[in-house]
Amino acid sequence: NGRCLQCCGRRVPSLPDDVQRLFYEAYPHSDVFAHPTVEEMQSMGYRVPQRSLVSGDARLAGIAAVFEEVQPKEGETFLDCGSGVGKAVLAFALLYPTCQCAGVELRPALHEAAVHASSALPGLVARRIRWHLGDMFELDWGEASVLLLNSTGFDESLMQKCIEKLSSCQVGSRAIVMSQPLSAAGWKETRPSGLFRFSWGNATV
């Protein structure tokens, strides 16, 4: 079997059978790529670009490889900023059983799907997950030590808001930033950018 040259030199994370089983029981359907409709944009009064609200799914193997790059430690807290249907949050909770996890999502339908998915998990796992419905910029990012920013659809103003929010994070925190470069004071790049596989294709991380 061959491997993509983009993956050469990467450590391939081990995915225990029980992690895979629980993840796919929580998400029995195929990948979701959900665009907000014009009606949703108007009725909810979103003040962000429509493309920033598109929900693409994290596949378990792909997001596990991304997490492996930041080497989560015992007892850390993970925050997914724009968590969609919650796949990255559930994956982190299953892969790192001593860590706390949270997701914040602006779109109610996606938030509800995430809450429903986590209800299928064993109680010990589900109790380590918190869901927030609302604007991610109104949430305190300072409690998180590992953050995921799927900024694929963000415009310049949203990227600037991310930079401002990252200034509140604790020393030693790591941010996983997708598709767009981000330069924030006090932060440094710990590894070169690379391509990782997601439901919509390869994304630079």
Side-chain angles (χ1 to χ4, degrees):
N1 293 329
R3 292 186 66 190
C4 169
L5 293 177
Q6 291 286 344
C7 301
C8 288
R10 288 182 191 161
R11 177 180 174 185
V12 179
S14 175
L15 296 176
D17 290 343
D18 61 334
V19 167
Q20 297 187 62
R21 176 180 58 79
L22 290 169
F23 183 85
Y24 289 111
E25 285 178 355
Y27 296 102
H29 305 297
S30 59
D31 296 330
V32 175
F33 198 75
H35 293 259
T37 63
V38 173
E39 291 75 18
E40 180 185 352
M41 294 291 295
Q42 294 175 343
S43 64
M44 298 302 299
Y46 297 135
R47 297 181 179 180
V48 294
Q50 184 177 13
R51 66 191 181 113
S52 71
L53 296 172
V54 176
S55 173
D57 274 357
R59 290 175 174 169
L60 181 57
I63 198 63
V66 171
F67 292 154
E68 187 71 18
E69 294 292 318
V70 297
Q71 293 290 295
K73 304 177 182 66
E74 289 191 5
E76 289 202 290
T77 298
F78 170 73
L79 174 63
D80 185 355
C81 299
S83 49
V85 298
K87 286 191 173 183
V89 176
L90 263 68
F92 198 97
L94 290 167
L95 290 166
Y96 304 100
T98 67
C99 294
Q100 301 295 314
C101 307
V104 54
E105 173 56 47
L106 186 61
R107 297 175 60 191
L110 302 183
H111 166 79
E112 292 168 8
V115 172
H116 177 75
S118 64
S119 69
L121 297 174
L124 289 176
V125 180
R127 282 195 287 271
R128 292 188 287 107
I129 297 174
R130 291 176 293 163
W131 300 110
H132 305 275
L133 173 62
D135 187 339
M136 69 183 191
F137 297 112
E138 295 180 0
L139 194 70
D140 180 11
W141 294 12
E143 296 182 12
S145 50
V146 179
L147 300 95
L148 175 61
L149 301 172
N150 188 349
S151 50
T152 301
F154 287 9
D155 62 10
E156 186 176 341
S157 64
L158 289 179
M159 292 302 291
Q160 183 58 43
K161 284 186 176 183
C162 289
I163 290 172
E164 293 169 1
K165 288 294 290 185
L166 287 172
S167 66
S168 68
C169 294
Q170 55 192 286
V171 175
S173 298
R174 285 93 71 216
I176 302 165
V177 184
M178 298 177 62
S179 300
Q180 298 195 56
L182 185 150
S183 178
W187 290 74
K188 64 180 181 180
E189 188 176 86
T190 57
R191 54 169 297 278
S193 298
L195 293 177
F196 289 80
R197 189 69 176 172
F198 292 89
S199 63
W200 63 90
N202 288 331
T204 303
V205 178

